[in-house]
Every structure is written in structure tokens, then in C-alpha cells.
Amino acid sequence: MSLRASLLSLLLCIPALLRADGGTPQIYLPDGAPPAERFAAAELAKFLGKSLHATIPVVHRYDPDSGATLLIGYHGIKGFGRKPDHEALGDDGYVYRVRNDDLLIAGATPRGTLYGVYNYLRDYAGWEWYSIDDPGTPGGHLSRIPLPDADEEHTPRFLYRELFAPEGGDNPHAVFAARLMLNGQLGHRHARNPDENLTRMLKARQGWGVDFDSVLDIGYDNPLDDELTDRAVAAIRHVMNREGYGRPQKKLLTYAQIEHIDGSGRSDDPDVRDFAREHKADSAPLVELVRRTAERTAERFPRLRVMAQAYLWSLKPPIGLTLPDNAGVNVSPIELDWARAIDRGEYNRKYFTYLKHWRRVTDHLWVWLYSTNFSGYYQPLPTIYPMIKTLKRLDRIGAVEGIFLQDSYSTRYGSFAALHAWVYGRLLWDPGLDGDALVRQFCDGYYGPEAGPILYRYIRALHRSAAQNPANRIFTNTRITLPYLNADFLIDADRMMRRAEAKACDGTHPRFCRHVRAERLGVDLVMLLNHGLLMEEAGDRWPDRTRKAYRRRLRRVKAVVREIGAENYGESSGSFAAILSMLRHPSVAPRDGCDLLRQSPEECIDFQELGFQLADATLLYDANASDTRAASITGDSVDEQEDGSGVGIWGIQAGFQTIFPPDAQGEWDLFGLVRVTVNRDGGFGPQSDIDAFKAGVEGSDWQSYPLYRFGDEAYHLIKLSSTPVPARDVGMGVWFSPPDKADVHDPSPIRRLYVDRLIALPHDGPSNIFRLRAFDLYDRDAVMAYDPRSPYRYVVRMNAVEGDEAPWAIQAPMKRLLPADEKRYDLYASLRLSAERPRPADDAVVLRMGVEGSDTPAVTVTASQLTTDAYRRIRIPGVYSRADENDTVWFQIDPDTDIPFYIDTITVVPHRDD
């Protein structure tokens, strides 16, 4: 073959290198272009070149006669119109301008240009990027450079867009965030110290993302104090001046947030409380602080917007306050039921109303949404379609200009995290897209064309299971025992996952295989963690009913955890290493904690160990626990103080927003099932009179518990607050810690502290029989105790005391006992003696009881009136009505005989003469 013929054959094989007039395609980018545009040109050359099977050069001189040219960014080239209008496009919008066979892709900012290149590759060249590990999924071979039919202009619906998880483009995967046009950088991955934030953010993304800084946590300070405003302004100036954000040429919008963290922030200052009452909301002082800060920074930093955080106690908008145009509000409705759209259901509509009413305060709203389960990042959540509906609903509220989606931010491959990033990311740019079509497309692109349809069916089945029961309410701490994760669904899900893995893991596409196995991890973990209850529910149908099958599933889980590098099971639920160690022992079906206290599930909350927040603590196997699992912390877990002493770490915690469902109202009594193991090697014994641990309620009271009460190393029920606690006080929470030490190097009296579960009972007024909820315990020798002789199992016990004086350690306020009517009542206490000590003489006094505030004398109870094997009902002296509601029934052990006694119930009956 001649040379001429060979060249002709080569040209026929690569038609993409030719325009209609024979020119060679190229990319134009002038010298000195900003980093984002240089990167855009490189990405365009890389991916478009693959589609064309050609090498596309990047040139720095534009020649309209040199061939088809893609011009990156607006650089004043004649014939391509005026500079893109920043007012119309904003920071992220872009234009396509077609001139003959040339195409200009330009934003009003370099970031807009970068997004224009990625959307061009997506919409015209067929490229897609489904995850941070996707090098790019091509749409097929192109024969020539594709061009729009006419000029186009594109802008995002939401100005701020972020999904906070590694899958959302966290560093070092910022390129994926740009490809998905997620521009936000708020997430907790950035330190809150203003000395560090923006420098790191800018270096990480070279100006690709929106710069955001949390400049001030108000704590419990007075928001109306000028000193706090000065601090906020100083923090903003420090960061902005250092990075040059005060210069007039700086065009990109920048955000700074003033916030409070979880339960903190409500100052008790009288002026603050009066200001809040005047404006009908606790958020009013915070809004006022933001208003003052924004006014003082407006002239110096015209492109800065100061944001107020509306979260938990500050979520309700104030009346009569407005913010200037350089301020806004970040609305964070963490208490939503995420199984439903934001405007669906009676419960969610309350918070949606709050959101709409914030428009009276500002025209600039963000919404902070939650797409994960902090108690277990890998638990399958039926929230995909409700979130799609939520984003579409927020699209219709014009003032909403930013969306922050918090996902499984501290681990990789959380449940559907990659799907959330891609589907929600596409909708944040264009909410008009078909959400279900996006889910289908993602499944095929991320799990592979063979396994994708199976994963899509699994997702639909998960949502159907949730829709079948109104009890399936999904909050940011969701338990694995909800009805949607029932045995029938999980058996079907397990089959689907097995088929999907077989399709994806055929050896040809390791990435698809890894994605399917990571998603299957969620199903496997639920089946292992809730093994006991699920096997009881399914019987012979349960696939892991044999030890061999259970171990096979556990081996697969361990292998996948290693493969994907998973570290954290949940936000504060312990490491995967601890979870896997615990799972070596199959759980058993625990007796329901509410049934344990003879309470119906409708009037009781049974909170198991997987919901605890752990600090220096872990979850582990404990054969003594109700389901063989418990939260545990060592006795030496203390924080060393300056004087060398040690303060026990609050290692096991549960906030009220975690314990109580968002619709829980009123006051509740809280109990914990706790045990310790004695540090005998340290010289302590089961009867040592030394503190073994501390427990209580943050914001209420706490108590130290002596070792001799727990020396048997069995679980004991303790009441965690002497008074009932309000379920809706989000600043409160339960905590457990080892004992304090006089010297941090001293041995602890306990080896470990274990917490099996919490039980909450509504303190909802009187009935005719009162048990645990009626009593307040005012001495460490007054305890909750398990008693098989009681039909209610758990009772109140008064232990022996030291010394000659005995306190009124057990009390029951009349206002809890008496009905709200005008009748008079007699009261009876059901009592029995402990058999652990020799029975005294029949005429020996064993206890006294009476009513504080009453003129009726107290009575003594002798040994002859009580037995050790059954409860006897003894009348409490006096006749009482609602007029006596401020009185209190009390019980006192006799220090001479010092015989422990039990109280089973207090019974209230109408007085016979009435």
C-alpha cells in the first residue's frame, strides 16, 4: 500500500479530528487564566478527547480560521458578545455561545465556567460521574464536536449546594464535587477556629467552592451584649482581611454563620428572656445579634452574608424583627420525620410552617437537611423519595437559596450516601428533573447495568415496607427495631442482595462489585445486630438460624468493612472494631423493657444500647445484659485535673432528642439498667463503701452510687433524676461516668461500668395505683430493685443505713397521687421486709411513714405487721384531697432495727364516709 493510501485510511478512521471544512478542533485558553479555568480546560480536553478518540490541544492564541474551537471563559474575543452578566448568572451560572463551529463556555466567574464545562460534557458528550471513585462513565463515541443548536444560559436553582459526606466530594475528592456542581464547604470537616478555616478551604478547592465559616458559637453568652457583637465582628474581620475578601474586585458571595451547638445558647439573662418574650420566640436575641453584626460588616465586606442558625430551641421565628440584605437564616429542622416530605404529616407541617414564617424575617434562607442516621450510618433508610419531594417543595419557596444536606460525614459508603450525593446534587441544580428516573440511572451507573435494576427494586421495596406502618418514623437517630426492618422484608432484601452481588462480582468490574457489597453491608448489619428478635419473629424461615450461617454472614461483614475502609458505625456509636467484636456472639431476643415494668409500649420508651453516644466508651458483648449487648466504659476513664485528681468522663450519654421521639410531650421519669464489675485487684470488695459510678441528667440532678449496692455485679434499675424531666428540653440528656479520683493514678473501685438500656415512663398524672413513677429518692440507700415477689417486678427498696439517723429517703408528692376532683381519699402502701437479715421481735419498729405538711401524726410499722415473703397493705395515716397536693408522703427506716424494706405500690381509694 502507498503512503498516500495509508494516510487516507488513517483519516477515515478518525473523522472526529475533522470539521466540515477540514480544520483541527482545539481548546482556547489565554495565558494567565485563573486556576479554575485552567482545570476546566484540562478536564474538557481529557474527556472530550476520549469521546472523539483524539488528542485535543489547548492553545493560548485564538485563530478563528484554525479549526473548531472551544473557548473556555470570557476573555474579550471579538464576535462572542458582551461579558456574561454577573447579575443574571450569579457566581455559578454560565452561557453557551455558538459562532459557526466555535463554542464559548463562560461563566461570570471562573467557577461558573467550570460548571459550564462539566454540564457540556454531561449534556452534549454523554459523560457522567456517579461517585468519587468513578473515573468517568462515557456516553459513547462522537464523530465530531457536539454543539448546541443556539446560545444557552444556565443558572442553578439553589445558590448554595452541599452534601456533607465523603461521597459529596470531601477533600481530597473536591474534583467530584465540582463535577456534580456541589459548591458548599460548610461541613464539620472544617475547624471552627477562624484562624484556620478559610486558608485550608481555599487551598483545597482553589476557589471552586463557596467559602463558608462558622465564626462564633454563642454558648450561653448574652446575645444582646455589645461585647458579643464585637467578638463576632472581630472574628469576621480577621478571616476576611487575611484572605483579601474586602477588596472590591472580590465578587464571589461568602458566608459567615453565628450559631449555637445542640442544646447550648439560651442565656438566662433577664434582658434576654424579656426580649425573647417580646418577640414571641427564643430565637429573637440570636437574630438581633446577627442583625447588629451584619450592619457593622456590610460596608467593609459587601459580598459577605452573615447567617443566623435556626436550630432546636431557636427554630421558631421571631415576630417583629427583620434582617438586612447582607444577612440570612440557616433553618435546621433536625427534628423532622424524614420518612415523609417536609410538608407532609401533621408533625412535619409544624416545622414547615416555621420555615415559611422565616420569610418575614429575611429574603435569604438556607435549609439544613439530614439524610443519614447518626446512630448507625449503614442502616438502610427509606428516605430517598421523601427527600426528593422535599427538595422539589423547597424549590417553590423563593426565599430558599441554599441547601446543606448532612449525611454520613465521618465514614465511607454510608447507606445510599453515593446515591444521595448524585441524585440530590442533580436536583439541587435543577429540581425539575425526574427524581425516580435519576434513581434508576444512578443504580445502573453505580452498581452496574446487571446489578443496578436489582438495587433499584430493593430501594422501592424498602420504601414500600416503610409506608405500610405509620410507626415507621425516621429521625436522625433511628433504631434498627422499627417495623420497616421486619423479618419478611429483610429475608427478601437478603435474597435481592445475594443476586445483585452475583451479577456485579463476576470479576469484570471490581468497582461495581465493591459498591454492591458496601450496600449489602447495611442489610447484613441489621440482621446481625437484631439477630435475636428477628429470629424469634421469623422462626425456621430465618436464614441465620444456625451458628454456621450466622458466622458466614459475620465473615462477609468483616471482609467488606476491611475492603471499604469503614471506621465508624455511627456518629457516636463506637468503632467498627468494637461492633465486630461484639457481633462474635449472637444476640438474644430481650424481654421488652416496658413489659419488664408492666407498662404498655404506648406509655413507655425502651431505649437500647445502640442509641447511646459514646466517648472513651464502647459497645460490647455482655452475657448479663437483656440482649447480651451493653455500652461500657472502664473505671479508669477520667480526665486529669490541674491538681492531679481525676474527674470521671461522661462516657455514655443519650440526649433527650435521641431518647424521646419528636412528638413526645410532657414530663417523664427516666430509669437505667446498670451494673459494674468490682476491681478486686485494686483492693476493693463487693461491700466496699466507696463510689462506684455517677449518673444523672444534664441540666437536672445527678447522684453517686456506692459500690456495695452493685457489688453482686448484676444489673440494677436506677432512677436517673429525682424529679420528672421535660421531653422537649433539647438541652438535656442522660449521662453515666466512672467515679472521680482524688489522685488520677489511684486504682478505680470498678473495672467496668455497663449500661444495658434506658426506660422512660410518662409522668402523666394520677391513677389508682402508683409505682416507680410516684417516688422520689433522696438518699443513695434508697434504690430501685428487682423483686420477683412483686407482680410488677421492679419496686422501691430502702437499704440499711449507717449511724443513728435515718433520712426521709423515699418520698411521694401528693400531687402525683390524688385525682383532680373534690373527693377525699385514703392511701395505702404495699410493703414487705427483706429476708437478708434476722427477723426482729414482733413488737420491734422497722419503719415510719407519714405525710409532710399534714397535722396527722406519723405512724410506726412493726415487724408483726409485715412479712418477708409477701406484700402487706398498710394504711398511710390521714384522709386527703386535692387541697393537700403540696403535701408529701414519706418513708423512713428505723435505724435501730435497720431492716431493709420494699415498697411495691401506693394505692389510692375513695374515703368510705364520702
Side-chain angles (χ1 to χ4, degrees), residues 312 333-338 347-348 350-351 473-479 605 656-666 727-730:
L312 296 175
I334 191 172
E335 296 175 275
L336 286 180
D337 170 12
W338 302 100
Y347 178 77
N348 281 6
K350 164 188 170 183
Y351 294 96
R473 303 179 69 177
I474 306 298
F475 304 111
T476 51
N477 286 281
T478 296
R479 305 171 195 172
I605 294 172
F656 281 11
Q657 65 194 81
T658 303
I659 299 171
F660 297 106
D663 56 351
Q665 300 295 328
R728 302 316 314 141
D729 194 327
V730 296

CSV table of all heavy atoms in Angstrom, one decimal, residues 312 333-338 347-348 350-351 473-479 605 656-666 727-730:
chain,number,residue,atom,x,y,z
A,312,LEU,N,-33.1,23.6,66.7
A,312,LEU,CA,-33.7,23.2,68.0
A,312,LEU,C,-34.4,24.3,68.7
A,312,LEU,O,-35.4,24.8,68.2
A,312,LEU,CB,-32.5,22.6,68.9
A,312,LEU,CG,-31.8,21.4,68.3
A,312,LEU,CD1,-30.7,21.0,69.2
A,312,LEU,CD2,-32.8,20.2,68.2
A,333,PRO,N,-34.1,22.0,60.6
A,333,PRO,CA,-35.2,21.3,61.3
A,333,PRO,C,-34.8,19.8,61.5
A,333,PRO,O,-35.3,18.9,61.0
A,333,PRO,CB,-36.4,21.4,60.3
A,333,PRO,CG,-35.7,21.4,58.9
A,333,PRO,CD,-34.4,22.2,59.1
A,334,ILE,N,-33.9,19.6,62.5
A,334,ILE,CA,-33.3,18.3,62.7
A,334,ILE,C,-34.4,17.4,63.2
A,334,ILE,O,-34.2,16.1,63.1
A,334,ILE,CB,-32.1,18.4,63.7
A,334,ILE,CG1,-31.4,17.1,63.8
A,334,ILE,CG2,-32.6,18.8,65.1
A,334,ILE,CD1,-30.1,17.1,64.6
A,335,GLU,N,-35.5,17.9,63.8
A,335,GLU,CA,-36.5,17.0,64.4
A,335,GLU,C,-37.5,16.5,63.4
A,335,GLU,O,-38.5,15.9,63.8
A,335,GLU,CB,-37.1,17.7,65.5
A,335,GLU,CG,-36.2,18.1,66.6
A,335,GLU,CD,-36.9,19.0,67.7
A,335,GLU,OE1,-36.9,20.2,67.5
A,335,GLU,OE2,-37.3,18.4,68.7
A,336,LEU,N,-37.4,16.7,62.1
A,336,LEU,CA,-38.3,16.3,61.1
A,336,LEU,C,-38.4,14.7,61.1
A,336,LEU,O,-37.4,14.0,61.4
A,336,LEU,CB,-38.0,16.7,59.7
A,336,LEU,CG,-38.2,18.2,59.4
A,336,LEU,CD1,-37.8,18.5,58.0
A,336,LEU,CD2,-39.7,18.6,59.6
A,337,ASP,N,-39.5,14.2,60.7
A,337,ASP,CA,-39.7,12.8,60.3
A,337,ASP,C,-39.3,12.7,58.9
A,337,ASP,O,-40.0,13.1,58.0
A,337,ASP,CB,-41.1,12.4,60.5
A,337,ASP,CG,-41.4,11.0,60.0
A,337,ASP,OD1,-40.4,10.3,59.7
A,337,ASP,OD2,-42.6,10.6,59.9
A,338,TRP,N,-38.1,12.1,58.6
A,338,TRP,CA,-37.5,12.1,57.3
A,338,TRP,C,-38.1,11.0,56.4
A,338,TRP,O,-37.7,10.9,55.2
A,338,TRP,CB,-36.0,12.0,57.4
A,338,TRP,CG,-35.4,13.1,58.2
A,338,TRP,CD1,-35.0,13.1,59.5
A,338,TRP,CD2,-35.2,14.4,57.7
A,338,TRP,NE1,-34.6,14.3,59.9
A,338,TRP,CE2,-34.7,15.2,58.8
A,338,TRP,CE3,-35.4,15.1,56.5
A,338,TRP,CZ2,-34.4,16.5,58.7
A,338,TRP,CZ3,-35.1,16.5,56.4
A,338,TRP,CH2,-34.6,17.1,57.5
A,347,TYR,N,-47.0,16.2,62.0
A,347,TYR,CA,-45.8,16.6,62.7
A,347,TYR,C,-44.9,17.5,61.9
A,347,TYR,O,-44.4,18.6,62.4
A,347,TYR,CB,-45.1,15.4,63.2
A,347,TYR,CG,-43.8,15.7,63.9
A,347,TYR,CD1,-43.8,16.1,65.2
A,347,TYR,CD2,-42.6,15.6,63.3
A,347,TYR,CE1,-42.7,16.4,65.9
A,347,TYR,CE2,-41.4,15.9,64.0
A,347,TYR,CZ,-41.4,16.3,65.3
A,347,TYR,OH,-40.3,16.6,65.9
A,348,ASN,N,-44.6,17.1,60.7
A,348,ASN,CA,-43.7,17.9,59.8
A,348,ASN,C,-44.2,19.3,59.5
A,348,ASN,O,-43.5,20.2,59.3
A,348,ASN,CB,-43.3,17.1,58.5
A,348,ASN,CG,-42.3,16.1,58.8
A,348,ASN,OD1,-41.9,15.8,59.9
A,348,ASN,ND2,-41.9,15.4,57.7
A,350,LYS,N,-45.7,21.4,61.2
A,350,LYS,CA,-45.4,22.4,62.1
A,350,LYS,C,-44.1,23.1,61.8
A,350,LYS,O,-43.9,24.3,61.8
A,350,LYS,CB,-45.3,21.8,63.5
A,350,LYS,CG,-44.6,22.6,64.6
A,350,LYS,CD,-44.4,21.8,65.9
A,350,LYS,CE,-43.5,22.5,66.9
A,350,LYS,NZ,-43.3,21.6,68.1
A,351,TYR,N,-43.0,22.3,61.5
A,351,TYR,CA,-41.7,22.8,61.1
A,351,TYR,C,-41.7,23.5,59.8
A,351,TYR,O,-41.0,24.5,59.6
A,351,TYR,CB,-40.7,21.7,61.3
A,351,TYR,CG,-40.5,21.3,62.7
A,351,TYR,CD1,-41.2,20.1,63.1
A,351,TYR,CD2,-39.8,21.9,63.6
A,351,TYR,CE1,-41.1,19.7,64.4
A,351,TYR,CE2,-39.6,21.5,64.9
A,351,TYR,CZ,-40.3,20.4,65.3
A,351,TYR,OH,-40.2,20.0,66.6
A,473,ARG,N,-41.3,6.0,61.6
A,473,ARG,CA,-40.9,7.4,61.6
A,473,ARG,C,-39.4,7.5,61.7
A,473,ARG,O,-38.8,7.0,62.6
A,473,ARG,CB,-41.6,8.2,62.7
A,473,ARG,CG,-43.1,8.0,62.6
A,473,ARG,CD,-43.8,8.8,63.7
A,473,ARG,NE,-43.7,10.2,63.6
A,473,ARG,CZ,-44.3,11.1,64.4
A,473,ARG,NH1,-45.0,10.6,65.4
A,473,ARG,NH2,-44.1,12.4,64.2
A,474,ILE,N,-38.8,8.2,60.7
A,474,ILE,CA,-37.3,8.2,60.6
A,474,ILE,C,-36.8,9.5,61.1
A,474,ILE,O,-37.1,10.6,60.6
A,474,ILE,CB,-36.9,8.0,59.1
A,474,ILE,CG1,-37.5,6.7,58.6
A,474,ILE,CG2,-35.4,7.9,59.1
A,474,ILE,CD1,-37.1,5.4,59.3
A,475,PHE,N,-36.0,9.4,62.2
A,475,PHE,CA,-35.4,10.6,62.7
A,475,PHE,C,-33.8,10.5,62.6
A,475,PHE,O,-33.3,9.5,62.1
A,475,PHE,CB,-35.8,10.8,64.2
A,475,PHE,CG,-37.3,10.9,64.3
A,475,PHE,CD1,-38.0,9.9,65.0
A,475,PHE,CD2,-38.0,12.0,63.8
A,475,PHE,CE1,-39.4,10.0,65.1
A,475,PHE,CE2,-39.3,12.1,63.9
A,475,PHE,CZ,-40.1,11.1,64.6
A,476,THR,N,-33.1,11.4,63.0
A,476,THR,CA,-31.7,11.4,62.8
A,476,THR,C,-31.0,10.4,63.7
A,476,THR,O,-29.8,10.1,63.6
A,476,THR,CB,-31.0,12.8,63.1
A,476,THR,OG1,-31.5,13.3,64.4
A,476,THR,CG2,-31.4,13.8,62.0
A,477,ASN,N,-31.7,9.8,64.7
A,477,ASN,CA,-31.3,8.7,65.5
A,477,ASN,C,-32.4,7.6,65.4
A,477,ASN,O,-33.4,7.7,66.1
A,477,ASN,CB,-30.9,9.0,66.9
A,477,ASN,CG,-29.6,9.8,67.0
A,477,ASN,OD1,-28.6,9.2,67.0
A,477,ASN,ND2,-29.7,11.1,67.1
A,478,THR,N,-32.3,6.7,64.5
A,478,THR,CA,-33.3,5.7,64.2
A,478,THR,C,-32.9,4.3,64.6
A,478,THR,O,-31.8,3.9,64.2
A,478,THR,CB,-33.7,5.8,62.7
A,478,THR,OG1,-34.3,7.1,62.4
A,478,THR,CG2,-34.7,4.7,62.4
A,479,ARG,N,-33.7,3.6,65.3
A,479,ARG,CA,-33.3,2.3,65.8
A,479,ARG,C,-33.6,1.2,64.8
A,479,ARG,O,-34.5,1.3,63.9
A,479,ARG,CB,-34.2,2.0,67.1
A,479,ARG,CG,-34.0,3.1,68.1
A,479,ARG,CD,-35.0,2.9,69.3
A,479,ARG,NE,-35.2,4.1,70.1
A,479,ARG,CZ,-36.1,4.2,71.0
A,479,ARG,NH1,-36.9,3.3,71.3
A,479,ARG,NH2,-36.1,5.3,71.7
A,605,ILE,N,-41.0,4.1,76.8
A,605,ILE,CA,-39.9,4.1,75.8
A,605,ILE,C,-38.8,3.2,76.3
A,605,ILE,O,-38.3,3.3,77.4
A,605,ILE,CB,-39.3,5.5,75.6
A,605,ILE,CG1,-40.4,6.4,74.9
A,605,ILE,CG2,-38.1,5.4,74.7
A,605,ILE,CD1,-40.0,7.8,74.8
A,656,PHE,N,-31.8,14.0,75.1
A,656,PHE,CA,-33.3,13.8,75.1
A,656,PHE,C,-33.8,13.8,73.7
A,656,PHE,O,-34.8,13.1,73.4
A,656,PHE,CB,-34.0,15.0,75.8
A,656,PHE,CG,-33.9,14.8,77.3
A,656,PHE,CD1,-33.2,13.8,77.9
A,656,PHE,CD2,-34.7,15.6,78.2
A,656,PHE,CE1,-33.1,13.7,79.3
A,656,PHE,CE2,-34.7,15.5,79.5
A,656,PHE,CZ,-33.9,14.5,80.1
A,657,GLN,N,-33.2,14.5,72.7
A,657,GLN,CA,-33.6,14.5,71.4
A,657,GLN,C,-33.4,13.1,70.7
A,657,GLN,O,-34.0,12.8,69.7
A,657,GLN,CB,-32.9,15.6,70.6
A,657,GLN,CG,-31.4,15.3,70.4
A,657,GLN,CD,-30.7,16.6,69.9
A,657,GLN,OE1,-30.4,17.5,70.7
A,657,GLN,NE2,-30.4,16.6,68.6
A,658,THR,N,-32.5,12.3,71.4
A,658,THR,CA,-32.3,10.9,70.9
A,658,THR,C,-33.3,9.9,71.6
A,658,THR,O,-33.8,9.0,71.0
A,658,THR,CB,-30.9,10.5,71.2
A,658,THR,OG1,-30.0,11.4,70.6
A,658,THR,CG2,-30.6,9.1,70.7
A,659,ILE,N,-33.4,10.1,72.9
A,659,ILE,CA,-34.3,9.2,73.7
A,659,ILE,C,-35.8,9.3,73.3
A,659,ILE,O,-36.5,8.3,73.0
A,659,ILE,CB,-34.1,9.5,75.2
A,659,ILE,CG1,-32.7,9.2,75.6
A,659,ILE,CG2,-35.1,8.6,76.0
A,659,ILE,CD1,-32.4,9.7,77.0
A,660,PHE,N,-36.2,10.6,73.2
A,660,PHE,CA,-37.7,10.8,73.0
A,660,PHE,C,-38.0,11.1,71.6
A,660,PHE,O,-37.3,11.8,70.9
A,660,PHE,CB,-38.1,12.0,73.9
A,660,PHE,CG,-38.0,11.8,75.3
A,660,PHE,CD1,-37.0,12.5,76.0
A,660,PHE,CD2,-38.8,11.0,76.0
A,660,PHE,CE1,-36.8,12.3,77.4
A,660,PHE,CE2,-38.7,10.8,77.4
A,660,PHE,CZ,-37.7,11.4,78.1
A,661,PRO,N,-39.0,10.4,71.0
A,661,PRO,CA,-39.5,10.8,69.7
A,661,PRO,C,-39.9,12.2,69.7
A,661,PRO,O,-40.3,12.8,70.7
A,661,PRO,CB,-40.6,9.8,69.4
A,661,PRO,CG,-41.1,9.4,70.8
A,661,PRO,CD,-39.9,9.4,71.6
A,662,PRO,N,-39.8,12.9,68.5
A,662,PRO,CA,-40.2,14.3,68.5
A,662,PRO,C,-41.6,14.7,68.9
A,662,PRO,O,-41.8,15.8,69.3
A,662,PRO,CB,-39.9,14.7,67.0
A,662,PRO,CG,-38.9,13.7,66.6
A,662,PRO,CD,-39.2,12.5,67.3
A,663,ASP,N,-42.5,13.7,68.9
A,663,ASP,CA,-43.9,14.0,69.3
A,663,ASP,C,-44.1,13.8,70.8
A,663,ASP,O,-45.2,13.9,71.2
A,663,ASP,CB,-44.9,13.3,68.4
A,663,ASP,CG,-44.6,11.8,68.5
A,663,ASP,OD1,-43.6,11.3,69.0
A,663,ASP,OD2,-45.5,11.0,68.0
A,664,ALA,N,-43.1,13.4,71.5
A,664,ALA,CA,-43.2,13.1,72.9
A,664,ALA,C,-43.4,14.5,73.6
A,664,ALA,O,-42.7,15.4,73.4
A,664,ALA,CB,-42.0,12.4,73.5
A,665,GLN,N,-44.4,14.5,74.5
A,665,GLN,CA,-44.7,15.8,75.2
A,665,GLN,C,-44.7,15.5,76.7
A,665,GLN,O,-44.7,14.4,77.2
A,665,GLN,CB,-46.0,16.3,74.8
A,665,GLN,CG,-46.1,16.6,73.3
A,665,GLN,CD,-45.2,17.7,72.9
A,665,GLN,OE1,-44.9,18.7,73.7
A,665,GLN,NE2,-44.7,17.7,71.7
A,666,GLY,N,-44.7,16.6,77.5
A,666,GLY,CA,-44.9,16.4,79.0
A,666,GLY,C,-43.7,16.0,79.7
A,666,GLY,O,-42.6,16.0,79.2
A,727,ALA,N,-39.6,16.2,78.2
A,727,ALA,CA,-39.1,15.5,77.0
A,727,ALA,C,-38.6,16.5,75.9
A,727,ALA,O,-37.7,16.2,75.2
A,727,ALA,CB,-40.2,14.6,76.4
A,728,ARG,N,-39.2,17.7,75.8
A,728,ARG,CA,-38.8,18.6,74.8
A,728,ARG,C,-37.7,19.5,75.1
A,728,ARG,O,-37.4,20.4,74.3
A,728,ARG,CB,-40.1,19.4,74.4
A,728,ARG,CG,-41.3,18.7,73.9
A,728,ARG,CD,-41.1,17.5,73.0
A,728,ARG,NE,-40.2,17.8,71.9
A,728,ARG,CZ,-39.3,17.0,71.4
A,728,ARG,NH1,-39.1,15.8,71.9
A,728,ARG,NH2,-38.5,17.3,70.4
A,729,ASP,N,-37.1,19.4,76.2
A,729,ASP,CA,-35.9,20.2,76.6
A,729,ASP,C,-34.7,19.6,75.9
A,729,ASP,O,-34.0,18.7,76.4
A,729,ASP,CB,-35.7,20.3,78.1
A,729,ASP,CG,-34.7,21.4,78.4
A,729,ASP,OD1,-33.8,21.7,77.6
A,729,ASP,OD2,-34.9,22.0,79.5
A,730,VAL,N,-34.4,20.1,74.7
A,730,VAL,CA,-33.3,19.5,73.9
A,730,VAL,C,-31.9,19.7,74.5
A,730,VAL,O,-31.0,19.1,74.0
A,730,VAL,CB,-33.4,20.1,72.4
A,730,VAL,CG1,-34.7,19.7,71.8
A,730,VAL,CG2,-33.3,21.6,72.4
